[in-house]
Structures are given as structure tokens and as C-alpha cells.
Amino acid sequence: MKKILLTVFFLLAISGTCFAQVFSSSDLILDAKDLDGKIIRYQGELIGSILKRGQNVWLNLYDGSNAIGVFTSIELAREVKLAGSDKMRGDVVEVEGTFQRSCLEHGGVLDIHAQKLNIIKKGFVLKERIHPKKIIAIAILLGVLACLLIIHILLKKRNER
């Protein structure tokens, strides 16, 4: 009986750590005072650039509402490659680290000092799609422009006679 209870307790302890809450940027901003100095998990798309600072890097992770700065080691972030822009989706990254409401080391900014980092989803290049209605509109406008040009040339020749 003791072994069964111990096994159940162990499984519950493991599941609690595996499924720890991932905070949103809004949670972090609104509850910054309560979360300051605590170990938290945050997930977002890498946007902008990976900024190297000595043996560390800055990553900006955007969760759909806000971007949060993450400071971590180059070694931990070595697999992070693609940063989101208008032409690509960035890597979706989950970090676990110490939340700083006002980091003294980095000039008082709100940030996370990550000790763990996992890539949830690799980034990819976005395919450009031009809506068919835009192509039709361009064709019509080019046709009108061509007609106006022809009319202009004909009127110019007529006035020369």
C-alpha cells in the first residue's frame, strides 16, 4: 500500500512540474509586482533580431499581445535561428527563468533571465499571396492606362496635321 501511495505521489509531483503554468505577457505586466524574482515560464514567437552581448543573447518573444525581452546564454539559445518579420514566422520558443520586474543589471527593464529554453515550433518563410481581385484591378487599370495613352498619341498626331 505504501508503494502505491508513494508511486501516486511521485506521479502527481512529476505531472505538476511538467504542466506548470505558462504566463502570458499580459499576466507578467499586470502581476509584475507579485511575480518579481520568481521562476516563471513564458512562450512566444522570436521577433526582431538575436542580439549578442558577450556570452549571452537578448531575444524578444511576442505572444500575440506584447513582446518580452529574454536574456540567456548563447549556448542555451544556439538552436534558435529564425526571427519573425513581415517575410517569415519566427521560431516559437518557451523559456523558463527568473522574471525581473525592474532588472537592475539591464537598466531597469522588465525581462526574463532564462535558465531553460525549448523550441516549440521552428520558424518558416511566409509565402507571398496576391489576392486575385488585386490582379484583376491591376489588369483593368493597365488597360485604362493603355487606352488613355493611345488616345493621347492619336490626339497629338491629329493636332500636328
Side-chain angles (χ1 to χ4, degrees):
M1 183 68 170
K2 283 184 180 181
K3 286 184 181 182
I4 293 173
L5 288 175
L6 190 58
T7 304
V8 169
F9 177 75
F10 180 72
L11 290 173
L12 287 173
I14 290 174
S15 67
T17 57
C18 290
F19 300 107
Q21 176 184 1
V22 175
F23 287 91
S24 71
S25 60
S26 298
D27 294 335
L28 295 176
I29 293 167
L30 294 173
D31 299 332
K33 194 172 186 179
D34 295 332
L35 296 171
D36 191 30
K38 294 199 167 86
I39 302 293
I40 57 100
R41 286 177 51 205
Y42 176 70
Q43 180 176 311
E45 175 190 355
L46 175 66
I47 60 170
S49 299
I50 300 171
L51 305 172
K52 293 183 180 175
R53 298 291 181 263
Q55 294 301 309
N56 299 300
V57 293
W58 274 105
L59 308 172
N60 279 315
L61 300 182
Y62 177 70
D63 70 352
S65 297
N66 303 289
I68 301 288
V70 175
F71 189 72
T72 192
S73 70
I74 288 176
E75 182 61 28
L76 204 57
R78 73 183 176 285
E79 297 296 320
V80 180
K81 301 286 185 224
L82 288 180
S85 67
D86 58 339
K87 299 198 184 314
M88 64 181 52
R89 284 276 179 252
D91 294 338
V92 176
V93 178
E94 183 177 282
V95 295
E96 184 176 308
T98 307
F99 175 73
Q100 308 264 334
R101 174 175 71 136
S102 179
C103 180
L104 297 176
E105 185 180 345
H106 299 115
V109 299
L110 180 147
D111 67 12
I112 299 168
H113 289 231
Q115 288 90 27
K116 293 181 184 177
L117 185 146
N118 293 317
I119 297 176
I120 303 301
K121 185 177 179 184
K122 289 283 190 183
F124 55 92
V125 176
L126 294 171
K127 294 178 183 175
E128 270 192 69
R129 283 184 44 223
I130 300 175
H131 198 279
K133 287 184 180 179
K134 289 183 180 180
I135 294 171
I136 293 169
I138 289 171
I140 291 170
L141 288 172
L142 285 174
V144 169
L145 182 63
C147 289
L148 289 173
L149 185 61
I150 290 169
I151 291 170
H152 175 73
I153 291 170
L154 292 175
L155 287 175
K156 193 172 182 182
K157 283 186 179 182
R158 183 176 168 196
N159 287 340
E160 288 176 0
R161 288 186 198 171

